[in-house]
Amino acid sequence: MKVLFVTSELAPWVKTGGLGDVSSALPVALRGLGLDVRVLIPAYPGILKNFPDAAEVARPHWLGGALPTASLKEVSTADGINLLLLDYPPYYDRPGSPYLDPDGNDWPDNHLRFGLLSRVAAWLGSDASTMDWKPEIIHCNDWQSGLAAAYLHYLPGGKAKSLFTLHNLAYQGVFGYETLFELGLPQEAWRFDGIEYHGKLSFLKAGLQHSTAISTVSPNYAHEIQTDDLGMGMADLLRYRSEHLSGILNGIDTRIWDPESDHYLQQHYSARNPNAKAANKAALQLQLGLAPRKDIPLLAVISRLAEQKGLDLLLSLGAKIMNLPAQLVVLGSGNVELEQGFLALARQFPDLCSVSIGFDEALAHRIDAGADIFVMPSRFEPCGLNQLYSMRYGTIPVVRGTGGLADTVIDAADEKNGNGFVFGPASSEALLEALQRATTAWSDPTLWRRLQKHGMARDSSWDKAARQYAELYQKL
Ligand code: ADP
Ligand code: GLC
């Protein structure tokens, strides 16, 4: 089975969140099952500089509208995955985030940048392709490649089937009507049961409407997005397509996220011997300039600071967090008010609270290892990877019971299986109550060890998900 996996992020080279992690790990797991998976991604400078010998294998052309002729370069990663790098320097040779300019605004030509990615994916899956390698499945991820399904729909001749995976329904790729022509789409595509969305063009809707099948990254989120509450304006369409919609729970790359071998850590440890975790806590406190307290738990947040993540609920607790009592470490960036708010809290409690604004892979690993409790009060969460990383590192998650968090974290009330703390309402009171339960439990070593044991024993590898994707491809 030949599969083209289309993505706008790929860890470790280009990553703003979980999509980057999934895109680097899932293709490897699929390859392990014998599938021939290649990954199509824009040739951002962060990737190209690691593959200076990338050689051109095709020049997709006559793509329609204002879309340029681009160059496809192929390279092989250390994991044995073939990357197809879509090179068109005027679009992709830009520094920093794949989506934002240095001021934090969307690049004004994002419709063309990701329109070209989608169009080239469709080209590869159609008779027009000049490549010998012909994918049978085009696996699109999020809005950036959603338009591929629409292009495939309107292309003549034999073509691949498509799977559209939703990692986040909140980002919908919405642009003005005039972009229809720039993107080389036919006028007939402008329909309410096509790519038109409230008088605009939506890449996400195009993917939902025209893909052969849709999946999302947890069974619970697959259910939730069909409700008006969490459907973000797409619930009707998702209900309409429910027969072709499924949820496959993400895994994690257990080679990279492993406390027994993680090269970022001060000291390695395992489920059998979690005691060395304490050395990582001490090292983290030292690195961040916190008081070396062993007598109170260390809470942690590693996150995009976006509305989705519910961190305003945590921030509004202010001094109550320190009075639990506890220390708090925050690593993240995004919303300026949240950044400022957390920084002010750190200034108020320099011994107890440390806030790092930015993206720092090494620090993220050290926090997962050094913290006692990981906090994720998300308003919605398609899957969430960080609760899985934390559990593997013996750090107990406190989460809101939504999306994939509800599918992966089992409340401590369940003595046999509990691996964390789950709360319901999206309110700071409910969060505080859950944090109180967690910090009280921390003082009971027997109970805490049990929660750690359950979390660390959880099989979060990609094996199961990869088998489910393979079955889904087969069905298509
Ligand atoms: P989302 O994709 O919604 O951001 P996930 O939990 O699925 O949420 O994945 C987030 C990923 O991004 C994790 O690998 C997490 O460690 C990482 N991450 C988020 N913010 C930062 C940051 N500031 N520094 C380092 N890693 C981060
Ligand atoms: C998204 C979601 C997150 C998920 C990740 C990878 O960014 O917000 O919940 O884990 O994609 O699928």
Side-chain angles (χ1 to χ4, degrees):
M1 171 103 55
K2 297 186 197 63
V3 180
L4 181 72
F5 189 91
V6 192
T7 182
S8 57
E9 297 189 23
L10 188 63
W13 303 296
V14 193
K15 166 173 162 183
T16 71
L19 175 61
D21 291 355
V22 172
S23 300
S24 65
L26 174 57
V28 177
L30 288 166
R31 187 169 180 267
L33 297 178
L35 282 77
D36 179 358
V37 186
R38 305 200 181 180
V39 176
L40 174 68
I41 181 159
Y44 308 109
I47 299 187
L48 266 187
K49 75 166 188 246
N50 289 286
F51 299 100
D53 302 331
E56 181 171 283
V57 288
R59 284 185 76 74
H61 51 279
W62 293 337
L63 301 176
L67 296 174
T69 298
S71 168
L72 269 182
K73 296 178 168 164
E74 191 160 18
V75 296
S76 185
T77 67
D79 283 334
I81 294 293
N82 283 29
L83 303 183
L84 289 166
L85 305 180
L86 175 59
D87 199 15
Y88 184 65
Y91 282 3
Y92 307 122
D93 185 10
R94 300 179 192 179
S97 156
Y99 316 121
L100 309 175
D101 69 17
D103 293 330
N105 301 310
D106 288 339
W107 288 109
D109 56 352
N110 271 352
H111 60 292
L112 290 171
R113 299 174 71 231
F114 297 109
L116 183 64
L117 176 67
S118 300
R119 182 64 184 85
V120 168
W123 183 84
L124 283 163
S126 75
D127 286 345
S129 169
T130 55
M131 282 195 51
D132 293 336
W133 186 79
K134 308 266 183 225
E136 296 152 279
I137 305 282
I138 309 290
H139 185 164
C140 304
N141 293 278
D142 274 353
W143 76 263
Q144 291 86 353
S145 48
L147 218 51
Y151 283 125
L152 277 171
H153 179 78
Y154 288 106
L155 280 174
K159 48 202 163 187
K161 304 287 185 202
S162 58
L163 171 64
F164 182 56
T165 297
L166 273 172
H167 297 261
N168 202 321
L169 197 53
Y171 302 99
Q172 304 193 338
V174 176
F175 303 96
Y177 169 67
E178 68 288 353
T179 61
L180 183 73
F181 309 102
E182 286 179 78
L183 290 165
L185 284 158
Q187 179 67 47
E188 60 178 310
W190 192 261
R191 318 157 46 102
F192 85 93
D193 58 351
I195 62 182
E196 184 270 347
Y197 184 60
H198 298 294
K200 304 239 173 180
L201 182 154
S202 162
F203 277 49
L204 183 101
K205 184 170 171 195
L208 297 181
Q209 193 76 54
H210 291 296
S211 54
T212 322
I214 305 166
S215 73
T216 187
V217 288
S218 68
N220 191 33
Y221 193 61
H223 165 75
E224 288 173 341
I225 54 180
Q226 297 180 59
T227 67
D228 293 337
D229 243 12
L230 288 176
M232 309 217 164
M234 300 289 176
D236 279 337
L237 172 52
L238 287 161
R239 281 195 291 266
Y240 173 72
R241 295 224 58 196
S242 66
E243 253 180 73
H244 301 108
L245 167 63
S246 55
I248 300 179
L249 192 66
N250 280 337
I252 61 173
D253 193 327
T254 48
R255 298 166 309 173
I256 295 177
W257 297 93
D258 181 0
E260 289 192 62
S261 59
D262 188 328
H263 59 272
Y264 291 118
L265 304 195
Q266 180 78 16
Q267 220 170 300
H268 293 140
Y269 60 95
S270 65
R272 287 178 309 288
N273 171 27
N275 290 337
K277 195 170 158 50
N280 291 289
K281 178 170 173 177
L284 184 65
Q285 287 166 324
L286 185 67
Q287 180 185 348
L288 298 175
L290 292 171
R293 300 279 298 264
K294 291 185 185 152
D295 58 322
I296 55 175
L298 177 57
L299 314 185
V301 170
I302 304 168
S303 185
R304 291 184 294 117
L305 300 180
E307 157 90 7
Q308 167 189 351
K309 302 294 179 179
L311 291 164
D312 50 311
L313 305 177
L314 180 66
L315 181 60
S316 70
L317 292 176
K320 288 185 193 150
I321 305 168
M322 315 308 151
N323 291 338
L324 278 163
Q327 288 179 313
L328 172 68
V329 172
V330 177
L331 167 62
S333 66
N335 178 295
V336 178
E337 276 163 41
L338 285 173
E339 288 183 359
Q340 294 304 328
F342 279 114
L343 285 170
L345 195 63
R347 278 194 299 274
Q348 197 184 343
F349 299 99
D351 288 347
L352 298 177
C353 178
S354 157
V355 174
S356 308
I357 302 300
F359 198 94
D360 187 337
E361 191 73 27
L363 183 56
H365 284 250
R366 291 185 186 127
I367 292 176
D368 274 320
D372 297 298
I373 295 170
F374 197 86
V375 191
M376 274 178 101
S378 306
R379 291 206 161 73
F380 68 94
E381 195 61 72
C383 177
L385 296 177
N386 244 314
Q387 79 280 17
L388 302 177
Y389 299 146
S390 305
M391 284 195 259
R392 195 142 202 251
Y393 281 68
T395 302
I396 305 302
V398 172
V399 306
R400 191 161 163 260
T402 183
L405 296 174
D407 280 337
T408 52
V409 181
I410 304 167
D411 192 89
D414 179 341
E415 282 187 24
K416 224 169 114 230
N417 306 299
N419 54 23
F421 295 86
V422 185
F423 66 98
S427 71
S428 47
E429 291 77 24
L431 170 60
L432 181 61
E433 202 184 279
L435 289 175
Q436 280 160 343
R437 284 203 294 137
T439 49
T440 307
W442 180 83
S443 318
D444 177 347
T446 316
L447 168 57
W448 202 251
R449 188 56 98 82
R450 192 173 72 218
L451 294 173
Q452 285 181 317
K453 207 172 120 212
H454 292 162
M456 293 179 92
R458 183 180 194 281
D459 178 9
S460 297
S461 70
W462 272 103
D463 299 351
K464 186 171 168 210
R467 278 197 304 275
Q468 288 173 304
Y469 278 109
E471 270 168 35
L472 186 53
Y473 296 152
Q474 198 68 54
K475 219 163 87 188
L476 298 187

